[in-house]
Structure formats: structure tokens, C-alpha cells
Amino acid sequence: MINFQYSRAADVADAVRQIAADPAAKFIAGGTNLIDLMKKDVECPSRLIDISRLPLAAIEETVGGGLRIGALVPNSDLAYHPLIAQRYPMLGSAILAGASAQLRNMASTGGNLLQRTRCCYFYDKATLCNKRAPGSGCSALNGLNRMHAILGTSESCIATHPSDMCVALAAWMPLLMLLVFAANARLHLQIFIARLVIRHSATQIWARTRSSPRSSFRPKVSASIIPI
């Protein structure tokens, strides 16, 4: 792991200012994935900006009858929240299907959404990975790829997004409230995921489809997250 600086954001505006001043920095909340990547020198941020104490850990009902989920709501709190269990049981089940109880207690909702699309080769710097080093190649194409994507792939990457939660959210097509530097913006989760896909040069079948429950009922769910 490389040396890095550490700072704590005083508020959301301060977090935005800090990341704007140092593009090589990374936000850290639960750190359940970022720390692993740093230990393997896959991620080498110059600074970690701690946002774990920002007031973004609430689950609130909206005027339209939906829920607003804060970026820092722990995965376990979200999965077991009574309103999630009552209205969106698929979301709770998806969260509980992933990781371990210890990781779910630490991982944040925003961090879950912003995970890097990856596979085992992404972690191994001795192998080729276009996600880690664009243009280097993809060892998974002719390697151990039983757990990789079958549809929606490309010649550059066949990795899948690691989040079970994102699949459940995509099915309900929520609106994400994004704070992008000084501007507020809204967009559907599929568009947000598609932007992540373009930014990270990855392809996943579920990021390219617009799935929805068979019922015509579409509950309103929104998530507030720190800048992408």
C-alpha cells in the first residue's frame, strides 16, 4: 500500500471542494472495497477524504409516497429497515444475498452503487485487465471465466458488476439525486449505471437493459450520493 494523506470532510460542500482540488483523491465511507484495492496497489489514491460522518445516513419517506435513501445508510440498516421490508422486500433480499454480515454493517449504500466493475483478474496485477490498465488486454477472455458475463460483453471486458443491490434497484428504476460539484441533477439509475460503464470502459447486460417488475406499479425510490 502506498503512502496517502487523510482528511475528514466537514460537510457535503467541503467534501466536494476537497475532491475538486485533488482529482487523485478518493472518498471513503465504509471502505470495504477500497481498502482491499489499496492493499493490492490496484487503487493508489493520493488522499482519502472521510465522508463517514456526513449527515447522509437517513431513510426518509417522500411526499410522493416513496423513500429517500441516504448515501451513507449502511447496507445492513437498509436491508432490515421496516419500510424496505414492507414496500421493497426484493431490495432487502438482494442486499442480504451479498457479502457477509460484517461487510454489510460497514458498507454504505453510495459505496455499493459506486463499486468498480471487476473480476478476479482485476485484483491480480500480474494479469492483463483492461479495467485496471486500459489497452492491456483481458485475461478473463481465455481464462477462468465461469462466473463472468455471457451477454452484453465486449472484446475488452466480460466482467460483471458486483452489486446485488444495484440489480434490485434497477428493477424499480429509481431516481438518483446526484450532487455533481455545485449542481444538483436527477437521472434514472440505468442512465447512472450506463455512465459508470462508459467511464470505466466496462459492459454488463443489466446496465444495458431497462427491466421492470411485471406489475405496472412502480414505487418511488431515490438515493442521494456523493459526486461520481
Side-chain angles (χ1 to χ4, degrees):
M1 182 184 290
I2 65 169
N3 292 327
F4 59 89
Q5 295 180 313
Y6 170 86
S7 61
R8 178 177 294 162
D11 50 37
V12 172
D14 183 44
V16 173
R17 283 193 295 268
Q18 289 194 46
I19 200 73
D22 187 358
K26 293 283 186 182
F27 289 125
I28 185 169
T32 53
N33 183 234
L34 178 60
I35 299 301
D36 284 344
L37 295 175
M38 289 176 65
K39 288 179 178 179
K40 294 179 179 293
D41 291 329
V42 175
E43 291 282 2
C44 301
S46 60
R47 174 191 298 269
L48 292 182
I49 303 170
D50 188 346
I51 59 171
S52 62
R53 300 192 183 187
L54 298 184
L56 298 171
I59 300 175
E60 305 168 318
E61 293 195 72
T62 63
V63 176
L67 295 178
R68 180 176 294 108
I69 302 168
L72 297 179
V73 174
N75 285 184
S76 55
D77 288 5
L78 182 60
Y80 290 114
H81 194 278
L83 290 176
I84 295 295
Q86 178 185 358
R87 302 181 189 178
Y88 316 108
M90 180 174 65
L91 176 58
S93 296
I95 294 172
L96 295 175
S100 64
Q102 293 88 340
L103 288 175
R104 292 194 297 268
N105 287 339
M106 290 296 297
S108 65
T109 299
N112 197 324
L113 283 170
L114 291 170
Q115 289 184 83
R116 293 290 302 272
T117 301
R118 60 188 186 271
C119 72
C120 58
Y121 294 104
F122 178 76
Y123 283 91
D124 186 356
K125 295 188 70 176
T127 64
L128 303 178
C129 176
N130 286 317
K131 287 284 296 170
R132 183 176 7 89
S136 63
C138 177
S139 293
L141 288 174
N142 297 307
L144 300 175
N145 52 27
R146 184 165 179 251
M147 301 301 292
H148 288 61
I150 299 173
L151 303 174
T153 63
S154 73
E155 296 179 354
S156 300
C157 181
I158 57 174
T160 59
H161 193 277
S163 173
D164 294 288
M165 183 192 78
C166 283
V167 178
L169 282 176
W172 293 118
M173 294 197 302
L175 285 175
L176 292 178
M177 299 294 295
L178 303 184
L179 178 62
V180 185
F181 293 95
N184 287 322
R186 298 187 183 198
L187 71 161
H188 283 288
L189 179 65
Q190 284 82 355
I191 300 173
F192 171 72
I193 295 299
R195 289 187 179 181
L196 288 183
V197 168
I198 293 171
R199 180 184 177 191
H200 292 150
S201 301
T203 53
Q204 301 84 32
I205 179 61
W206 64 269
R208 293 173 173 265
T209 59
R210 294 180 63 84
S211 58
S212 61
R214 294 180 179 178
S215 169
S216 60
F217 172 67
R218 291 181 180 176
K220 299 175 181 178
V221 185
S222 64
S224 58
I225 68 170
I226 286 295
I228 53 178

